[in-house]
Structures are given as C-alpha cells and as structure tokens.
Amino acid sequence: MDPAVVGSAQFGQLWTTKLPGNYRNNLEQIYSQPLVYTLDDGIQYVFIATTQNNVYKINAKTGNIVASRNMHIPFLTSDVVPCTDINPLIGVTATGVIDPTTDTWYLTAKTYEDQTDQVKGLANGRYFFHAIDVNTLAEKPGFPKPMEGMLARNNPNRNFNGGIQHQRPALLLTGQYVYAGFASHCVQYNFTGWVVGWDKTTGSVVERFTTEAGPEPVKTPGGGIWMSGGGLASDNKGSMYFSTGNGYASQLHGTPVPGRQPPTALEEAAVNMKINDDGSLTVADFFMPWEKEQLDGADKDLGTTPLELLPPSTFSCPNAKRLGVITGKSGKTYFLNLDNLGGYQMGVNKLDAIPQAPIQNENSVYAGAGVYPLEGGYVYINVIQYQTHVFKFSCDGSGNPAFTKVADSPEKAAYVLGVGHGTTTSLNGQAGTGLYWMTDVDGYNLRIYNAVPQNGVLQLIKTANIPGVTKFSKPVFGDGRAYVGTVQGLLYAFGSPVNLPLTCTSPNDFGKISINSTSAVKTIQCQANTYTQVKAITLKNTANFQISSLPSLPVDVPAGKNISFNAVFAPTAPGPLSVDVAVNTSSGDTKFSPNTPVSLKGIGTSANPLLAVSPNTVSFNGVIVDQNDGGATESIIFSNVGDGVLTVQGLDYSVISETGAYVQPNKTAAGVQVGPFTFSNIPSTIAGNSEAIVKINFNPVATGNFAVYVHVRSDGGTKIFDVFGTASSQPNALLEFEAADGSGRWIPYTRNNPPFTFGNVYEQTTKSLRMRLTNNGSASAGSLSVTVSKPPFGVPGIVGAQNGADLGEGTNLAAGESATAVLFCSVPKSQVNVDTYNGTATWVMNTGDPNFGKQQIQFFCNAVAEQVGPLAANGSAIYRYNGCYKENNPGRQLAVQLYGNDPAMTNEKCINACSAKGYSIAASEYTNECWCGKRFPREMADEIDCNYQCTGNSTQTCGGNGYFHDHSHMSLFSNGKGLPPLPDVPPSILPSIGAYNYTGCFSEGVGGRALGAAQTASDDMTVAYCASYCSKYQYFGIEYANECFCGNQFGTGVKKLADSECSMTCNGNSTQYCGAGNKLTVYGTNGTNSAPSGASSTTTGTATASASSSSATATGPAVAVQTAAGFVYQGCYTEGTSGRALGDSQTAYTGMTVEKCAAFCSAYTYMAVEYMSECYCGNTVGAGAAVATDNGCTMACSGNANELCGGPYRLNFYKQNKTAATSTSTTLTGTTSTSTGTTKTSTTTSATTTATGPAIVQTADTFAYQGCYSEGTSGRALAATYTVSGTMSVEVCAAYCKGYAYMGVEYANECYCGNTIGAGAATVTDGSNHLDFLVSNCHSYWTDHCPECW
C-alpha cells in the first residue's frame, strides 16, 4: 500500500457487496475475517464465512459474488442467553485459513444436531470442522468432521460439548496440521478452554487439549481461548502461542511457580506449546500475572488479546532475542520473552518476572497490538475509550528490551467494546512507507495513520465511515485494496479507483522484430467512457518503443469520442520487451482513475549470433582446503540469443582485473586451469537460440582469497564474467556448557566427558545454563555450520531447551564466532523429605566440522527436595515421605492428634512434634492438623489425592480431599520403624491373652478405682500391653482406650455391664476393645467370665441410652435427629473442598450422640456429626461444603444406634436456633476443646460448693479452685500428664502441674494436668468418679477432696 496513493483523493470506497443470506429474516454478519486469495485463473477473490453458516466467493476487483453455499443451519443466540455478544445467530465466528498447496479452506461452524430446523437448545449444539475447495466451495471428500463428545487427551474427565463451547480465535495451519482454540459464551456453563488439532488431509483428530486438566472438579470452568478473535500463533520453529481467560481452579494460589513447570489449569495465562511430530501438543512454558486470582475475581481476562510474536529481525535484544506482546482487560501491556515467558510470581517480591515492567493503560484492551517492524520498530495499543498509544522499541544498556511511549493518536477509541486489532502495511517493505490501520465501532470506522509518528502524534491521513463495522475486526488486503466486513450484511472494498476514463487498444503486441530494426506503426485508439480531459501521454521508457502523432494536448474528449496516437517497436536488445504508456486524464469524477495505462510489448531478435553470459559473477565461499576430493564445482551459461550459429573465438584470463593483464592458462586434461580454477566444457560453437553449460572447478591447496576475470570473445560479441573463491582451513567446533557452580567457567564437551550437569536444583526452582558453540578454527577457518540440531525443546521431564530456534539447523559461525542456547532444569514442587532424583535430556547435534560427528549430548540435573525434621549425618531427613494415605478408613488411621487448626502448620513442625513424643509416624492433614502413630494406615492413595497446602508453608502439602474432593487424605512420614497396618477387620473382644481370660465389661468403683494396685497409660495400648504390665496381678483392666489398671480384687461398687458398654478400640490396635469412659475391659487368671470379688451384676442384655453410656442398641433404623439443645437439622452435607466444613472446634470419641455434640458446640452457630463418633463446630461454613446429593449420611451414632451421625465424608448438619430455649446445663468458659490444644483460656465463672467433710482448698500455688467436675465423655478431662502418689494433696498436685493451665485431683491419690479440658467434662453433684478442678493463675482450680467431691 503506497501512502501517496492511500492519502490522496483517489483512494476511497470502491464497492460494497450485499450478502444475500437472510435466515429467519436476519442480515448476514461477518465475524470471521475475509480471506484474500488468488487462484490459478489469475483472479483474486475474497472468501467470506458468516454467522448464518454461509460461505461466499467474491471477485476481489469487482465485488461480484461468484459462488456461495450453506453448510448448516446456524445456532441461535437465544439458546445461550443472557450472552448476546454475537446476536442473533452463531455459525462461523472464527477466521479460517487457506492452504495454498491444496486450495483448501479450513474453518469451523456451529450448528445443531438436527438439521431439520426443528430441535434446538443448548444440549443439541454441535461443532463441525470443514475443508472446502476454494475453486468450487464444495466440501473436500471425507469432510466435515464432527467434534461432539471428544474426551480431552490430557483430562478424560472433560468432554467437548458443542452447545457450551465457542470457537472464536483464528485457526492456525502449520505443516500437516490445523488447530483451533475454543472458549465459552460469556464465561457460562461448565466450559473449559480447548485446542483441537486435525490432520489437514484426513481430518483425523491429532490433539484434544484442555486448559483445565485436573485435579479440579469437572464442574470448575475456566481457561477459555478466545482472544477477541485473534489467532493462535506459530513461530515456525515448533512452537504455538496463545493466551487464556480467567478460571476458577487457581491451582497456584500464591505459590511462585517457574514457567517450565506449568500448572495443569492454564488460566489467565500466556502459553507456549511445543508442536510434536504427530500433531499433539506439549506445554513448554507459561506466564501468569502475579495478581491472577484478583483478575479472576474482577473478570479481567488476560486472554482478551492474542499473544503476538514480534518479528525478531527488528525486535531483539541480547537478553531477550524473541519477544511477544499481550494486553488484557486489566489494561496492562506485557512484553514477554518468548523463550522464557516468566511463570507465576517469579519476580522480585513475587511479582512478574518479565523483561520490562508491565505498562498500565487507562482501560481494558481487547485489540491485538499493531506492529511495524521498520524504522526501528513500533508497537500500537488500542485502548477502549482512550487514544491509541505508540511505543518505540530499543535495547537498554544492559541488553534488555525497552518499549517507550512516544505518541498517541489524536482520536479516542469508542466508548463501547469493539475497537479492532491493529494492522500495519508498507510499500514493498520500504522504509518511510508504513501505514497503521484500525477499525472502530464508533466515530470514524476506518482510520489510517502514518506509521511513524511526528512530534508525539500519529498523523491521520484517511478515514471512512462503515456503518455496522464488526467489533474486534481489522482490514485485510490484496492488490492495493483493503476489505472490511460488517454485521449489516455488507462487505466493503477500499482502494484507488480501477474505473478507467478511457478504453484504449491494449495490450499492443508487435511480435518479433530484429534488433536495430523498427516495426510497422500501430495506431492506438482511446475512446472516452466519460467526459474526459487528456492532459498528457507519456512513455515511461523510450529505449525500445517510441510514440508519435500525439493529439494537441490538453484535449477534451466527450464520452464516446476517440483520440489516437502511433507507436513503434525498435528493440535494442533480444528477448521479450514491454513498456506502459501513461495517459494522464481529468474527468472531474473521483470514481475514475486519473491515469489510463496502455501496454506495448514485443520480442527483439537478431539474425546474427549474439552472445550472452549468465550469471556474470560466480563465487565459491568457504571452500575447505583438502576437505573434498576434487574441490567444488559451479556452472555458468554461455547463450546464443541470435538466430545464426555463434562461434566462440577464445577466452582471456586475468587474475588482476576485468581489463587485464591477461595470463596464459595451463591446459590440462581436466580443462583450462588458472590458479585454483579449472574451466571445462568450453564450447567452440553454439547454435542459434541455444546455450552451453561451462563448468568451473575450484580446488585450492592453500587458504586465501582468489579471483579470475574471464573475457569471452565470439562472433556474436564479447562478454566478461568474474570468478571468486575463498579457501579456508577446517572449522573447529568447540562445544561448552556453563559451569553449574556460578563461577563463569565453561566446561568443554568431549565424547568421554560425563554429561553436562546442572548440579543440585531444589524443588520449586529453575536453573538456566547456557551451552555455547564456537568456531574455534584458525583465523582462516571456514564457517562452521550446524547441520543437525534436535534440541530437547518441549520434551517431558525437568531438563529442556529454552526454545527450538537457538543453535538450530542452519546456524553458521565465522571463525572465532560463538552462539549460545539456554537450557534449563526446572524442578517441580514436591513434598519435603523425598529422595533426590535425576533428570536427563539429550540434544542431537552435528556440525560442519568433520571431526565433530553426530553427537548425543547429555544433560544431567539432580533434583533435590527440602529435608526437614531430625536429620541424619548425611543431611537427609530421618522421617522420609511415604506417600498420600487415605484417612477414615473406616476410622481414624493414626491414634494421636497432637494439634489442629494451626495457622503455622508445616510438615517440619509436625514431624518434630511426633518425633519428640517417640512416634515413628507423623502425618499432616486438612492443611493444619498433625497426627502421630506407630502403625501405618491401611491404604495408600495416589499422590494427586493430597492437594492441600500447609497453612504455614504454601510450598508444602498437608493432606488433601482427593482428586474428586470426596475423601480426606493425609501426607505421611515415617522413620522406617512404623508397624504394618492392621488387618481390615471389625474390632472384637480378645478372648484370652497369655494366662489371662476375658472376664467382662465392668464399671469403675465407687469411692475408688475398680483395680487400684497399679496403673499406666500409653498411646500404644493393646490388651497384650496391659497384660504384660500387670503380669504380677490376678486382674487387669483397660479403660479409655489407653489406660491400664492392675489389681488382685475389685474395689467397692463395681458392676458388671453388657459387653457392648466397653466399645472403645485400643489406641494401639483398633481390632481390639479397650473399655470406655469409666468402664473397663477386664481380664483375669481365675477363668473366663468369673467375676472378681467385689463385683456385682447389672443388666447384661441390652444397654439403654443414657448420658453415661457409650453405646446403645438400636430399636429401629437410625434417623436424623431434628433438634438438639437449640440446634435445628439442616440436612446431609459434604465436607469442604479446601478444608473442614466446620473448622473452629472438634472432638471425637466412641459414645457420640447428636445431643452430646450439640452440648459441645453450644457456643457456635453450627454443629455437625460425622463418621459415627466425630463432632465439629463452627461459626462459618467452609468453602465447597454443600448439601450432599448421594444421601451419604448413613452411619448410626456410636453412642446411640437410633440416631444418624453422618457417614464417610458426610455430615449431619445443624444450625443454632437463636430463639430456642437455652440449655440448662452449666459449662465452664474455656472448657471447649479446640484442635490447637495449646490455648490457655481464662474462666469467668466458678462453681460454688459447700463442704460437708474435709475442707476445700481454695488456692494452691498459682491455682484457684473451680469446682467438682466429671471426667470427659471420650477421654480424660485433663490428659496432658498425670501422677499417682500415696501422699497426694492439692499442694503436691499443684507443684507437679506447674506450667499447665489446669490441674485436678481424683481417687485420693491421682493428679492430672492439662492446658485444655476434654469434651464432656462438666460440674457435677452426684459425688462419684469426679475431680476437684483448679486453674492456674486464678484461671480456676479444684479442691482437696481427693476421694470424691463432698
């Protein structure tokens, strides 16, 4: 496009063509850009596809519709309301692509499964991939191809739904494959971004890639590829680039991730994909703005514009050789290094790691940038409601790219969405001819500027109004014309008028005329098409043609009248010759051109011989001495362009200049030799209009520059040609790799060297090192070429090449010149305490150095994870990561929870805590809980099931809720001493152990222990453990799952209970029963079921539900309790997707009922029961918790078989009814057990007790009396530590418990300490099995009534 023409009055609208489609009386709309293409008939056509699924072939010059057809009925916008961005029809909305090798037009179309125009709806929407013959508009055989129901290759849980998906980006044709990107309609429905690829010949699908590849639930939408209609891009070096919109998996969630470790959810991202040989794609690199989640929340897509590749011939700096540009809804313009896009939050202070800080524009940007690669390079950004900004490219002193704003447009873009993509043109690539074009939906719809601004302003040179111009469109070009589509059924063409004011005789062929002869005169007649004034008639070149008999000028010629002039052909050279006569006119009508061309042509001939030599220079560059036997050979053509036979009279040779002096050549059997040159096949004669091929061989024996100038003499004239040669020594390939130690050293490559190494690279980091190839030959060495190069670009693994371009095939290095490529080792996020592992990659390379040979260059990286907790002498962790294990399978898999709800939770903290307690196994769970044990859980899960970040370190994993968010899991570590898991069998009563036989389930005594001779407790408690401890006694009993008591007789008041009353499983073996609260599983040496002395019997049949019982016999199917202590049932709920549904407080014990949980959670808004025995409280409901659709709350409460207490990963959920009657029970402020286990809470109430016996001690040390309390319902009221002494007093216990928040005395000689109060402990007045309770620092405390509370 010539700026002189475009800016002149002659440039304007040439024609408009109305497209006839009228489906349901709607106008055609052109959302896919027109394609301009010239067919074999020499005619240029414009190809149009519309939202009505019609395709058109239009003559580009005249605007006439040559052919058209309908592919399908269109899809109705009403089926995707409220999304009316494209309205009322959706058919073809993405720009197709034409393959010039097969004349095939590829595009996609949206329609319905039913083509009878009856069945509509979202579910019936379908997409088809078309291949159309542009000559006939007929479908290619085997096409179109349906797409419905495709499963994503990288996530089979995602399937393609044509009704939901929307194909907006322009298609990409690269090699054998065609690719299309997909998003949604206005971010609606369960969509995901897709890239689908087809083989262009067969139409078979070669890629089905989704941008949401798991483990997010399949209902998580996001990652759409739409780019306002901009196209998928390729660098023709094996990479594809595109950008994506917002999404809701947000996998990274503030965790910095290198670009070479892309997430599986590619949301708000600029993406580099490797195009594999089979057409499949591999994610190679990505960039995601640091504020990704904020952009999601504000619906500010990064992917509103395409990622555009800037021409590296202009836009290149030492530190960023290949650049791209992208701008999104946030208004930020990002200039990216295409070889290192930047990852996520990898910059300083977790900001963007990109070559230049983002440029903030005033408003959102939907238009792809305009790019002008001449005159230093410019980039143009069209901002909604604001001016177009112009940025000048340069490289700063550090070698980084710098884009500086240098100008604005005087006009602002429309206040509504729709300003188009920027486009630039030039006149045959000439500097000074650049134009910047843009369309807009408001104001001047077509605006054309000089590309290079002046004085800070873009100079507007042409405008046009185009009603209904399509949003996000741009002009397309062909043969000096520009084409713009609209949504009002019209296609516009702009250019310099092609309507001629004169119709002249043209072309005028004079035939063959001998040189130096003149043809007969031809009279040229010109008839006026309109009233015209002829101002001048000129011949552009008078060397071979002349004109005469011109009319007296200027002359007015009425329409229909003629003028004439004469022309002759007088050739001065042989061969085809031509010229134009320019008839300059003025008609007063801008529809007509001011010039009418008249073509003259002819062929010059010679009856005599006539010599021609081609080429006139032959060069031998970089010939290596002695490399090739016989040297190198080129050819030159001696031609006789005359009719007579040509006689070659001789050749004269000079090694000085074209004018001599001449030297005597050496005639050999091989030919005529002059220095290192040998000429052969020199003809003596050449027939008329024939030619002869002369061979020239260059075979130097020494390095240097050589020349010979040859003078050819013949009877058809003389010619001179020059021959040059450069002889070089062998190049020497020196391949080196940057040392991993940062010293700056370069390590040379040899075949026997170990692999190039990155050394140790720690998880969640990327190390980049350079490989350098140098031509290390002598100063006279020839250039070193890279003949084979297969870099590890886009390959699986942690080691790879930054791109497929650097040190690529075809690279040439002069002597002493070097080139580098960057390789990286990018170690992904991993769990701590995993073993180191190796990453390797191979680069296949060969060069022009004959001694180099084809090499398999190996690269090695040692991937190292963080080691935490106790460390071995070699620095590795003693507690190794064993994997992700399934929790609640069926019950808790580890016996001890040390703490929970810890905002600073890390695996290191948990491992150290469990190690200090002597446990061989430590596990983190639910982001903030720490569990310990000595036996492995039953079932290992997939690593992807542990997907929670630790609250104290987002780079670590602390359990998860499974790939499908349906089950809790733990991240487990062990020191190698963990016991194997127990068999998956239900718990049972062990009938005997050694000399002991099972005697029964017994209550504690009244006024003392049932068995009081000796006692111990252990989190590894089993029947065998207690039997061993009590081996000197006749009886032993186990209580509270972990307490062991010994004796030779029972204390007073002991009663035998039903076996089912002792329902707690042993902490050390969940297949055995170990009593319950205040109930013992008893064994004796005096025979099975022989009750010890002192014990009385009670009902042993069915136990009735009561506040003190730990189990109940169902009288019917378990049902959901509707109300309990002010709580109202809400339904069966799932756990949260990123944590507990209720996470403020929790407790668990055998004997759980809804009523007990309600009492425990009385201070909270919500309560829930789960897994028969677990109780959770909270004031807010965790993210993702929702009503369960599978009715999974099917487990009866462990304390009342008539009540439902949730199920696996399901909760019976209750909400506090604020108007309900309040509970009459008295609770102590601060007695609620929270999962942190460390908070010392002050009390504000105290129990009032009147002594009827020994006095109550009101204070002891720092402790203050609080009252007489019951033991906990699922464990000790105070469980941190305890002691037993025959001289027990309140003061002794206070001294023992110094440092704890609470102390309590019980059974006259027992002292218990703790920082939290166990669930169910409360003030009592019944005088049995209770503690006098005290709190430190006047928190609270309890009395000296050691046997019981009087």
Side-chain angles (χ1 to χ4, degrees), residues 965-1094:
H965 307 284
D966 59 353
H967 202 97
S968 58
H969 294 77
M970 62 179 74
S971 300
L972 188 137
F973 304 82
S974 78
N975 62 5
K977 300 177 181 179
L979 299 174
L982 292 169
D984 187 9
V985 296
S988 62
I989 297 171
L990 188 67
S992 63
I993 180 73
Y996 292 91
N997 296 308
Y998 175 66
T999 301
C1001 178
F1002 290 83
S1003 70
E1004 275 288 6
V1006 176
R1009 288 288 184 193
L1011 297 171
Q1015 68 185 79
T1016 188
S1018 172
D1019 288 323
D1020 299 319
M1021 182 59 64
T1022 64
V1023 174
Y1025 187 107
C1026 191
S1028 175
Y1029 178 78
C1030 296
S1031 60
K1032 297 179 181 180
Y1033 296 91
Q1034 185 175 358
Y1035 300 102
F1036 71 86
I1038 316 168
E1039 182 177 349
Y1040 276 118
N1042 67 345
E1043 299 178 7
C1044 173
F1045 297 88
C1046 318
N1048 290 318
Q1049 62 182 13
F1050 268 12
T1052 60
V1054 177
K1055 296 179 180 180
K1056 187 173 184 180
L1057 308 173
D1059 289 343
S1060 60
E1061 294 281 344
C1062 291
S1063 57
M1064 286 186 175
T1065 59
C1066 302
N1067 275 1
N1069 189 335
S1070 60
T1071 68
Q1072 300 173 0
Y1073 284 114
C1074 281
N1078 294 317
K1079 300 165 188 176
L1080 301 94
T1081 299
V1082 177
Y1083 290 80
T1085 59
N1086 60 341
T1088 303
N1089 290 328
S1090 175
S1093 61

Side-chain angles (χ1 to χ4, degrees), residues 577-861:
L577 302 168
S578 64
V579 73
D580 281 346
V581 177
V583 182
N584 181 251
T585 62
S586 175
S587 65
D589 188 343
T590 58
K591 292 181 181 179
F592 292 93
S593 171
N595 290 287
T596 299
V598 178
S599 176
L600 309 178
K601 66 179 183 177
I603 299 174
T605 64
S606 172
N608 299 318
L610 190 62
L611 176 66
V613 175
S614 178
N616 59 13
T617 301
V618 176
S619 297
F620 295 89
N621 297 318
V623 174
I624 306 301
V625 176
D626 296 330
Q627 184 180 53
N628 296 317
D629 187 23
T633 301
E634 297 284 354
S635 299
I636 193 168
I637 300 173
F638 289 7
S639 299
N640 177 8
V641 295
D643 295 335
V645 176
L646 180 140
T647 299
V648 177
Q649 297 169 337
L651 277 67
D652 301 319
Y653 306 90
S654 172
V655 294
I656 299 175
S657 72
E658 290 183 350
T659 58
Y662 299 109
V663 297
Q664 184 65 36
N666 181 25
K667 294 183 178 180
T668 68
V672 177
Q673 184 178 10
V674 180
F677 302 101
T678 299
F679 300 84
S680 60
N681 297 338
I682 299 172
S684 56
T685 60
I686 304 174
N689 297 304
S690 299
E691 60 187 30
I693 306 299
V694 176
K695 298 290 186 180
I696 306 173
N697 175 260
F698 180 51
N699 191 13
V701 295
T703 62
N705 296 318
F706 304 90
V708 61
Y709 307 92
V710 183
H711 182 211
V712 184
R713 293 176 283 107
S714 76
D715 60 354
T718 61
K719 294 291 181 182
I720 296 174
F721 66 91
D722 305 331
V723 183
F724 303 106
T726 300
S728 305
S729 59
Q730 294 280 7
N732 179 259
L734 173 62
L735 188 66
E736 302 165 294
F737 196 60
E738 198 171 4
D741 59 9
S743 63
R745 294 180 300 113
W746 290 91
I747 301 171
Y749 170 80
T750 66
R751 289 179 177 84
N752 298 322
N753 261 8
F756 286 152
T757 181
F758 289 85
N760 290 339
V761 178
Y762 290 90
E763 58 107 3
Q764 196 71 353
T765 62
T766 296
K767 179 185 283 188
S768 295
L769 295 174
R770 293 171 294 169
M771 183 172 70
R772 180 171 69 184
L773 179 65
T774 302
N775 184 348
N776 203 38
S778 66
S780 62
S783 64
L784 177 69
S785 61
V786 178
T787 56
V788 174
S789 182
K790 305 298 180 186
F793 170 63
V795 299
I798 62 175
V799 180
Q802 195 173 71
N803 60 55
D806 294 338
L807 291 182
E809 295 177 4
T811 299
N812 279 287
L813 302 174
E817 187 179 4
S818 298
T820 61
V822 177
L823 292 105
F824 64 86
C825 176
S826 188
V827 180
K829 173 184 175 182
S830 67
Q831 187 57 280
V832 299
N833 295 4
V834 299
D835 295 337
T836 61
Y837 62 96
N838 300 328
T840 61
T842 301
W843 190 319
V844 180
M845 179 180 287
N846 203 351
T847 71
D849 178 356
N851 299 316
F852 187 81
K854 189 174 183 179
Q855 299 298 314
Q856 307 273 339
I857 305 159
Q858 300 293 319
F859 302 90
F860 174 87
C861 179

Side-chain angles (χ1 to χ4, degrees), residues 411-561:
E411 297 79 21
K412 292 184 178 181
Y415 273 64
V416 294
L417 297 185
V419 62
H421 302 275
T423 309
T424 64
T425 63
S426 67
L427 181 61
N428 300 320
Q430 300 175 32
T433 65
L435 295 174
Y436 178 65
W437 305 65
M438 60 179 286
T439 61
D440 203 351
V441 295
D442 203 357
Y444 292 121
N445 305 117
L446 175 63
R447 300 197 281 273
I448 309 168
Y449 301 87
N450 283 323
V452 178
Q454 298 295 322
N455 301 318
V457 178
L458 274 178
Q459 301 297 317
L460 183 67
I461 66 169
K462 182 68 66 174
T463 63
N465 288 317
I466 309 173
V469 67
T470 308
K471 65 180 179 181
F472 311 142
S473 62
K474 68 176 185 178
V476 297
F477 304 93
D479 285 352
R481 290 180 288 268
Y483 304 91
V484 180
T486 74
V487 294
Q488 295 183 359
L490 296 173
L491 175 68
Y492 285 75
F494 296 87
S496 182
V498 294
N499 295 318
L500 300 176
L502 300 171
T503 300
C504 299
T505 307
S506 183
N508 298 280
D509 192 348
F510 290 87
K512 292 183 177 181
I513 302 296
S514 295
I515 294 174
N516 300 322
S517 299
T518 301
S519 69
V521 173
K522 279 186 174 289
T523 299
I524 312 300
Q525 297 284 343
C526 294
Q527 185 178 72
N529 298 319
T530 185
Y531 188 91
T532 303
Q533 182 183 67
V534 178
K535 295 182 176 181
I537 301 174
T538 56
L539 195 62
K540 294 183 178 179
N541 188 316
T542 60
N544 299 295
F545 297 89
Q546 291 88 42
I547 56 175
S548 60
S549 303
L550 303 179
S552 180
L553 301 173
V555 59
D556 293 332
V557 185
K561 298 299 183 181

Side-chain angles (χ1 to χ4, degrees), residues 352-421:
D352 300 320
I354 58 178
Q356 176 177 335
I359 296 171
Q360 181 66 63
N361 300 292
E362 302 92 336
N363 204 345
S364 297
V365 176
Y366 289 76
V371 180
Y372 181 56
L374 302 177
E375 303 177 71
Y378 293 86
V379 172
Y380 310 81
I381 305 296
N382 297 336
V383 185
I384 297 294
Q385 301 180 0
Y386 288 86
Q387 291 94 339
T388 293
H389 301 316
V390 186
F391 298 89
K392 181 74 169 64
F393 169 74
S394 62
C395 298
D396 65 19
S398 300
N400 297 313
F403 290 85
T404 304
K405 182 181 173 183
V406 294
D408 290 325
S409 65
E411 297 79 21
K412 292 184 178 181
Y415 273 64
V416 294
L417 297 185
V419 62
H421 302 275

Side-chain angles (χ1 to χ4, degrees), residues 1126-1197:
F1127 286 90
V1128 178
Y1129 185 56
Q1130 302 297 306
C1132 182
Y1133 272 65
T1134 66
E1135 277 286 9
T1137 55
S1138 59
R1140 289 286 186 195
L1142 298 175
D1144 291 341
S1145 185
Q1146 65 188 71
T1147 186
Y1149 55 90
T1150 303
M1152 180 61 66
T1153 67
V1154 174
E1155 292 77 11
K1156 290 178 181 179
C1157 186
F1160 178 76
C1161 296
S1162 61
Y1164 295 92
T1165 303
Y1166 302 99
M1167 61 152 278
V1169 282
E1170 182 177 4
Y1171 277 116
M1172 303 186 297
S1173 300
E1174 299 179 7
C1175 172
Y1176 296 91
C1177 321
N1179 290 318
T1180 59
V1181 181
V1187 175
T1189 59
D1190 57 1
N1191 194 27
C1193 296
T1194 57
M1195 288 184 170
C1197 299

